[in-house]
Amino acid sequence: MDAPTPESVVVIDDDRAMRLTCEKILARAGREVLCCESGALGLEAVVERKPALVLVDLKMPGHSGFDVIERIRKCDTTVVVIVITGYPTIGAAVEAVKAGAYDFLPKPFSPDELRLVAERGLQHRKLVLAARTSEIERELLRRRFVTFVSHQLKSPLVAVHQYLDVMKRLGEGPEVREKRDIWLERCLERTEELTSIVEDWLTLASLEQGALQRVREPIDVREIIDKLVAAYGELAAERSVNLSAVMPPGPCTVRGDPTCLTVLFENLIVNAIRYNRPGGSVTVEAGCVPGEVITAVADTGVGIPESCIPMLFDEFYRVGGRKSDECGTGLGLPIARRIASEHGGVIEVESVEGEGSTFTVRLPLHSSAPEGEIVPGSAAEKAILA
Amino acid sequence: MTPHPRILIVDDDDDFAESLGSFLAFRGYLVARAADSDEGIRMALARRPDLIVMDVMMRERTEGFFAIHEIRRNPQLAGVPIFAVSAIYTAAADFAVPPGSDWLAQDEFFRKPVDFDQLLERIQARVADVLSEKASRIL
């Protein structure tokens, strides 16, 4: 919800003294207050200012308070409406609450009563907004999960099933014999694909359970990068991609789990090779700045559309428009981000569609000062819990 | 009935297209393959196949539905049966195949993995209809 003036309050009352009283009390409580003398002006203010809270008098000439509540409810369901009522009966206030007001405040009231009711209303709004956000997030994740299972997990299974089925149905004809080896080879490849997806999935699950963060030892990022560049030279060459590393002469030491950190950089390097083009390049550059080890994996590949970047590190999210043979498991980046944050670090991405992407990992520098009471992963754990 | 009815398979999964394509080829069909919906529509227009097998979820979750819609809007391809295939879990609410929607009225839906013999039976039946309709129009 974008509220240009967060937590602002609109007071709608035809009684000038009442408007001034409310404004004074609420302004003193740190709220931005706008007062309106009629329902029509009040509605305009609500549309324009998108306040968090509206205080409205029930009995006004022109638009009655009931009218105002109904109209506010129609244009914004998150704004909290509180009714001020001078009616001797509580019946009208109950009606107002039924019409969509959150609470009511009988006249006369003390400053404390007004503050209390207003704060309670604002608190209620926060809860409603938070519940909505997490509902949307859950829904998105659920959809992505269904897509993930039916596309990434089921597709290789279906492929293997159909090949085996065709071989069974077509029997032993000469044309079949000719294709059988190719088909069997494809079955094996698709099975491997499925295995790596399941493995990535399990890695992510175990990272989430905190199982892989027990090891904490000083490790030079240059060593990890050197090993990976050597290991993936062949894959890069197969795709006519030039893979190289630029390292400083001195050590770039972080404290962490070497296996996990290797997985982190492996995922970034493999992506950079996979989403590249023949003749392109992947450059891994490491370096130290005060307090941090910065490693950048830059490619000259397909790049990422700007609209996809906010979701890039989300589980089960994949950038559309890729051919199936260049697709990964869709879990590599969530894994990388998780590992970085477990180590108290972050991953950032910059990308220009059609030109390439740079993933930058920032990890806390491990000072070579005497190793004392360093609590393993404490910063990371705090970051996660926050 | 013409000896070799022509089938167009549109699927971004090469392996599904290869297995189904080979199966149909061995059963006497002429098979063409396209790897995405744009290529599929282009090939459909160029070749006017007797039947199209279309994967629903390609690069985008609903790419195939849009391609079917596009083909259905094109008078040049009127009457070409389209069989939609997909691995999507159709029991999930927002993935459900809307019953009675306009494309389903003339077309059929198969869940992957597909029983190729059953699919073949339906293809034979639909292609026979199409061809006899063509023949009666000529007469």
Side-chain angles (χ1 to χ4, degrees):
Chain A
M1 287 312 108
D2 62 329
T5 48
E7 308 283 84
S8 70
V9 181
V10 169
V11 178
I12 310 170
D13 199 322
D14 59 328
D15 177 352
R16 182 162 178 272
M18 185 53 75
R19 289 200 302 273
L20 289 177
T21 310
C22 288
E23 180 171 19
K24 207 164 141 194
I25 296 168
L26 292 169
R28 213 177 283 156
R31 305 289 163 204
E32 194 170 314
V33 187
L34 181 73
C35 293
C36 304
E37 60 190 67
S38 71
L41 288 173
L43 282 170
E44 262 174 47
V46 167
V47 170
E48 205 176 294
R49 301 280 289 258
K50 293 192 170 69
L53 189 74
V54 175
L55 290 173
V56 58
D57 184 20
L58 270 191
K59 200 177 168 192
M60 289 183 292
H63 288 297
S64 79
F66 288 110
D67 252 5
V68 174
I69 296 169
E70 201 177 303
R71 286 174 197 226
I72 290 175
R73 279 272 148 264
K74 268 184 198 152
C75 67
D76 183 350
T77 53
T78 62
V79 58
V80 171
V81 181
I82 291 169
V83 161
I84 305 169
T85 173
Y87 284 163
T89 65
I90 229 158
V94 171
E95 282 306 308
V97 170
K98 272 193 202 158
Y102 171 68
D103 206 347
F104 60 91
L105 191 60
K107 289 187 218 177
F109 49 81
S110 71
D112 277 344
E113 279 168 338
L114 172 59
R115 270 196 296 272
L116 188 74
V117 170
E119 289 311 312
R120 203 161 58 196
L122 288 169
Q123 197 56 40
H124 169 75
R125 180 170 182 268
K126 267 188 203 137
L127 291 176
V128 168
L129 290 180
R132 251 183 227 196
T133 310
S134 69
E135 203 175 292
I136 293 167
E137 277 168 5
R138 258 204 313 277
E139 175 60 16
L140 276 177
L141 193 65
R142 190 192 67 78
R143 282 180 186 221
R144 271 190 219 133
F145 180 71
V146 174
T147 312
F148 166 78
V149 172
S150 41
H151 212 210
Q152 276 112 292
L153 285 184
K154 207 173 157 193
S155 292
L157 266 181
V158 165
V160 172
H161 177 112
Q162 307 283 200
Y163 276 134
L164 293 175
D165 193 48
V166 164
M167 286 188 261
K168 186 178 142 199
R169 283 174 206 270
L170 293 181
E172 288 292 328
E175 323 95 308
V176 180
R177 237 174 287 141
E178 208 175 279
K179 290 206 162 187
R180 167 164 273 170
D181 284 348
I182 303 169
W183 290 350
L184 285 174
E185 191 55 43
R186 288 301 299 159
C187 285
L188 284 175
E189 283 171 21
R190 297 305 296 263
T191 317
E192 276 166 22
E193 176 193 334
L194 191 55
T195 308
S196 64
I197 292 170
V198 172
E199 270 167 9
D200 270 5
W201 201 7
L202 291 173
T203 304
L204 195 60
S206 59
L207 279 172
E208 270 161 16
Q209 287 160 10
L212 297 186
Q213 307 121 40
R214 291 192 195 109
V215 187
R216 282 290 181 272
E217 57 189 62
I219 171 134
D220 190 343
V221 168
R222 294 178 309 163
E223 275 174 42
I224 299 177
I225 303 296
D226 274 338
K227 274 186 205 154
L228 287 171
V229 167
Y232 283 97
E234 201 178 320
L235 177 71
E238 265 172 35
R239 299 187 173 227
S240 310
V241 168
N242 179 45
L243 173 62
S244 63
V246 180
M247 306 282 201
C252 300
T253 310
V254 297
R255 190 177 167 83
D257 179 338
T259 316
C260 280
L261 290 171
T262 304
V263 169
L264 190 176
F265 291 114
E266 186 178 23
N267 286 346
L268 297 182
I269 291 172
V270 170
N271 276 355
I273 297 171
R274 190 185 277 138
Y275 300 120
N276 218 307
R277 54 179 107 239
S281 69
V282 174
T283 311
V284 189
E285 193 171 351
C288 296
V289 296
E292 271 185 334
V293 172
I294 298 179
T295 314
V297 180
D299 67 64
T300 56
V302 291
I304 302 151
E306 210 180 331
S307 61
C308 299
I309 287 181
M311 284 88 80
L312 200 58
F313 293 96
D314 289 359
E315 276 164 54
F316 311 126
Y317 180 78
R318 284 173 6 140
V319 177
R322 308 263 200 244
K323 272 194 230 143
S324 57
D325 67 334
E326 53 187 30
C327 275
T329 61
L331 297 173
L333 288 178
I335 289 174
R337 182 178 64 171
R338 192 82 199 184
I339 294 172
S341 71
E342 293 292 341
H343 285 81
V346 290
I347 301 189
E348 289 153 4
V349 60
E350 271 176 60
S351 187
V352 178
E353 199 178 357
E355 288 180 23
S357 312
T358 302
F359 286 84
T360 306
V361 181
R362 298 166 170 274
L363 294 168
L365 179 71
H366 174 62
S367 60
S368 44
E371 287 190 31
E373 297 292 305
I374 301 169
V375 183
S378 59
E381 268 154 40
K382 267 180 217 148
I384 302 298
L385 290 173
Chain B
M1 196 173 160
T2 40
H4 296 297
R6 290 159 313 133
I7 309 289
L8 172 62
I9 301 172
V10 187
D11 198 320
D12 66 339
D13 191 312
D14 284 345
D15 294 312
F16 184 83
E18 163 70 10
S19 54
L20 176 59
S22 302
F23 177 76
L24 293 175
F26 288 140
R27 293 286 187 254
Y29 289 81
L30 273 178
V31 178
R33 281 160 50 177
D36 61 54
S37 59
D38 293 343
E39 195 188 0
I41 293 168
R42 228 178 12 251
M43 287 177 71
L45 284 167
R47 294 163 182 248
R48 209 183 182 286
D50 297 308
L51 187 142
I52 299 168
V53 177
M54 172 85 69
D55 184 33
V56 172
M57 192 165 69
M58 290 184 273
R59 289 170 306 182
E60 302 289 337
R61 204 176 71 190
T62 50
E63 188 180 335
F65 283 123
F66 286 108
I68 290 170
H69 185 67
E70 195 71 26
I71 291 172
R72 281 285 159 257
R73 277 190 352 194
N74 194 316
Q76 274 175 275
L77 293 169
V80 178
I82 304 175
F83 285 7
V85 291
S86 180
I88 49 175
Y89 177 58
T90 47
D94 51 330
F95 292 83
V97 179
S101 56
D102 54 352
W103 66 268
L104 205 66
Q106 23 188 343
D107 304 317
E108 297 182 28
F109 181 83
F110 295 86
R111 243 175 89 179
K112 288 180 177 181
V114 178
D115 183 319
F116 284 167
D117 279 333
Q118 265 177 25
L119 179 70
L120 181 64
E121 239 172 68
R122 294 303 308 147
I123 289 178
Q124 280 168 340
R126 294 301 300 271
V127 168
D129 287 350
V130 170
L131 293 178
S132 71
E133 204 178 294
K134 253 193 219 167
S136 69
R137 235 182 285 140
I138 292 163
L139 289 172

